[in-house]
Amino acid sequence: MAGPFEVLKKSIQAIQEQQGYPKHEVLPDFHLVHDLGFASLDIAQLLAMMEGELGVDPFAQGATLDQVATVREMAGLYSRQAA
């Protein structure tokens, strides 16, 4: 099974393609909004994709989007929940 970063990267790339966003290499320090241009609906779709792939929802356990700005932070949040 792929780890959270790999799943997140694949999910981000799928959303980029679906929404017609410029394709960027997904780097850990990229900001979801400022670097990737994701809107709130894109982030909601990303969270749904991550939950579907990894079977965990860290936001149901009290995490908030205020804790997550970068790809690294998002992957870390899912890594901690999967552990």
Side-chain angles (χ1 to χ4, degrees):
M1 181 170 131
F5 179 77
E6 291 80 18
V7 172
L8 183 57
K9 182 177 177 177
K10 181 181 82 169
S11 299
I12 288 171
Q13 290 168 336
I15 293 170
Q16 286 175 327
E17 184 174 318
Q18 206 175 40
Q19 299 299 333
Y21 291 140
K23 291 184 182 180
H24 296 286
E25 180 180 356
V26 179
L27 300 175
D29 291 324
F30 273 13
H31 192 279
L32 294 168
V33 175
H34 300 297
D35 295 319
L36 297 174
F38 276 26
S40 58
L41 289 177
D42 300 320
I43 293 173
Q45 181 180 4
L46 180 61
L47 299 179
M49 292 171 83
M50 293 294 291
E51 183 177 355
E53 287 287 325
L54 298 174
V56 295
D57 179 6
F59 299 96
Q61 303 300 319
T64 66
L65 283 176
D66 294 341
Q67 299 170 294
V68 179
T70 66
V71 173
R72 179 187 317 275
E73 291 168 346
M74 178 76 77
L77 189 62
Y78 280 90
S79 291
R80 287 188 295 279
Q81 286 295 307

